[in-house]
Amino acid sequence: MFRGLTMKLFWLVLLFVYPGYALANSWPGFAKQQSCLELYPDFHHLVKDMRQHQPWYKAEYWLAPWLLPKQQFDQTQELECAQLEYHSDTILVQAWGLQPKAKGKQKWPVIIYNRGGNSALGRLDYVSVLRQLSPLAQQGFIVLASQYRGSVPQDQQTYGKDQFGGADVRDIHQLIELAKKLPAADANNIFLYGISRGGMMSYLTAHQRDDIRAMAITGAPTNLVTELPRKPEMELIFRSLIPDYDQHKVRELEQRSVIYWAEQLPATLPILLIYGGKDQRVHPDNSRLLAAKLTELKRPVRLIEFAEADHLLTDYKEQERQAMLNWFRQHHYGPATAAP
């Protein structure tokens, strides 16, 4: 009797002293996991960290309530949230994971979020998680977001090198396989959500799979060959990241441009394309022309334009999020998942 009581007390103390241990059953298969609660036990810790390490926080302090929303921080505490690392090929890849807390045998659909940027540029920090990922998990989804290999440029031996749509695509495939093994994951409902470069990564991933239920893409390049003359400064990035770029420039760009192989995407894959009419980073024609080609191929596609929006749809984030969630629920396999 006393032995059983002692063991119960031991586990209770362990969970309080080391809350990250409670994650062990939530994120199996990941090489490393640290709970968001460990990272930032309360909002004051997050504010303190921002003041110490984020120059923009001081420079734009008057924007702090919007850039660093306390309400969203509090709501995220109601989720299972973790900073993760996982193996892909012979390297480690960093990621974030969020999911609603378990309710019996409840299974949640999965959103694989593919970020924009390259290397360390565009890395998801905890503020990004609060603003971009947490609202999705609160609507009844498991959300996993890879940082891609190369997100720690100073340690390429451990974390690899970004190839901007090359070997790094395998990092998304590996994340999907890990997602399917999560105890609370509905493996029949895996969705891809890509922004900017993340849209390109989503197309490349879907090209090689037949288990993606639907995709939503925002402001993504679909033809790097025509985009390069519009943004010639991108050549420096392509040259530094894409293997064999100088020797096979057109080939490498076309391989990363869905417009050249759209017919090879799964024929029944529903694709939602969202873009800003005043996007200065990725020309709106990228989304328009792909939508036209998919329509010609008689593929399930929907195009949404926010005529006054910029690349990141800055003033239209809630509309974008609702359109994307509605798209995923519309194409959910089995009974639709209601928001908790």
Side-chain angles (χ1 to χ4, degrees), residues 123-136:
R123 274 178 55 91
L124 296 168
D125 58 14
Y126 189 56
V127 176
S128 303
V129 169
L130 292 181
R131 294 175 58 202
Q132 300 175 39
L133 306 187
S134 178
L136 305 180

Side-chain angles (χ1 to χ4, degrees), residues 18-318:
Y18 181 39
Y21 183 85
L23 293 172
N25 292 329
S26 299
W27 309 101
F30 287 88
K32 180 180 178 182
Q33 47 190 286
Q34 185 175 21
S35 74
C36 297
L37 186 61
E38 285 183 279
L39 292 169
Y40 301 107
D42 54 52
F43 188 69
H44 298 293
H45 281 79
L46 179 58
V47 171
K48 181 179 179 181
D49 184 70
M50 292 298 103
R51 287 174 176 170
Q52 290 178 344
H53 302 107
Q54 300 293 344
W56 58 260
Y57 187 85
K58 290 184 178 180
E60 305 180 59
Y61 189 80
W62 63 279
L63 285 175
W66 180 77
L67 294 170
L68 199 61
K70 185 179 186 303
Q71 181 182 7
Q72 194 61 63
F73 178 90
D74 294 338
Q75 292 173 344
T76 302
Q77 303 309 298
E78 300 172 5
L79 302 168
E80 292 185 8
C81 171
Q83 190 175 39
L84 308 165
E85 290 187 358
Y86 63 98
H87 293 287
S88 180
D89 296 334
T90 60
I91 59 173
L92 280 174
V93 179
Q94 297 181 333
W96 289 94
L98 300 97
Q99 61 178 300
K101 290 188 177 177
K103 295 182 179 180
K105 296 183 179 180
Q106 173 75 55
K107 296 286 187 179
W108 307 104
V110 178
I111 295 176
I112 302 295
Y113 176 91
N114 295 322
R115 70 171 179 90
N118 58 84
S119 298
L121 178 66
R123 274 178 55 91
L124 296 168
D125 58 14
Y126 189 56
V127 176
S128 303
V129 169
L130 292 181
R131 294 175 58 202
Q132 300 175 39
L133 306 187
S134 178
L136 305 180
Q138 289 167 29
Q139 291 296 312
F141 291 85
I142 294 174
V143 183
L144 288 167
S146 175
Q147 302 278 32
Y148 315 138
R149 65 184 65 190
S151 66
V152 187
Q154 63 271 27
D155 189 359
Q156 293 187 10
Q157 183 174 355
T158 302
Y159 294 101
K161 184 178 185 296
D162 190 353
Q163 293 188 2
F164 202 80
D168 40 62
V169 177
R170 293 200 290 271
D171 304 342
I172 303 175
H173 288 296
Q174 180 63 17
L175 190 61
I176 293 173
E177 296 308 314
L178 288 170
K180 290 182 174 182
K181 297 176 183 178
L182 296 179
D186 179 358
N188 291 317
N189 285 290
I190 306 291
F191 302 97
L192 296 184
Y193 176 30
I195 294 181
S196 194
R197 177 261 179 96
M200 177 191 74
M201 301 292 282
S202 299
Y203 294 130
L204 289 166
T205 302
H207 182 208
Q208 301 170 19
R209 308 186 71 96
D210 60 3
D211 56 355
I212 304 302
R213 184 61 55 190
M215 292 200 309
I217 308 296
T218 296
T222 64
N223 190 339
L224 294 179
V225 176
T226 57
E227 274 298 282
L228 186 55
R230 294 171 179 156
K231 302 285 290 184
E233 62 272 21
M234 288 297 296
E235 185 128 55
L236 293 175
I237 296 174
F238 295 161
R239 181 170 286 116
S240 65
L241 299 181
I242 298 176
D244 301 323
Y245 178 77
D246 286 323
Q247 293 83 0
H248 305 286
K249 175 178 175 177
V250 174
R251 183 194 71 184
E252 295 299 326
L253 293 180
E254 288 182 351
Q255 286 180 355
R256 290 162 172 81
S257 302
V258 64
I259 200 73
Y260 294 98
W261 37 266
E263 67 281 353
Q264 298 177 28
L265 291 171
T268 59
L269 176 64
I271 300 177
L272 173 65
L273 300 173
I274 308 175
Y275 69 99
K278 294 187 176 180
D279 191 337
Q280 298 296 314
R281 298 190 196 176
V282 177
H283 197 282
D285 279 352
N286 282 266
S287 298
R288 295 167 183 160
L289 294 175
L290 178 60
K293 183 163 187 176
L294 291 172
T295 301
E296 180 183 346
L297 293 168
K298 299 186 181 341
R299 302 298 177 81
V301 60
R302 184 185 178 196
L303 183 67
I304 297 178
E305 176 190 11
F306 293 102
E308 301 299 316
D310 59 11
H311 178 61
L312 297 176
L313 306 185
T314 305
D315 297 325
Y316 300 85
K317 296 306 293 182
E318 185 58 31

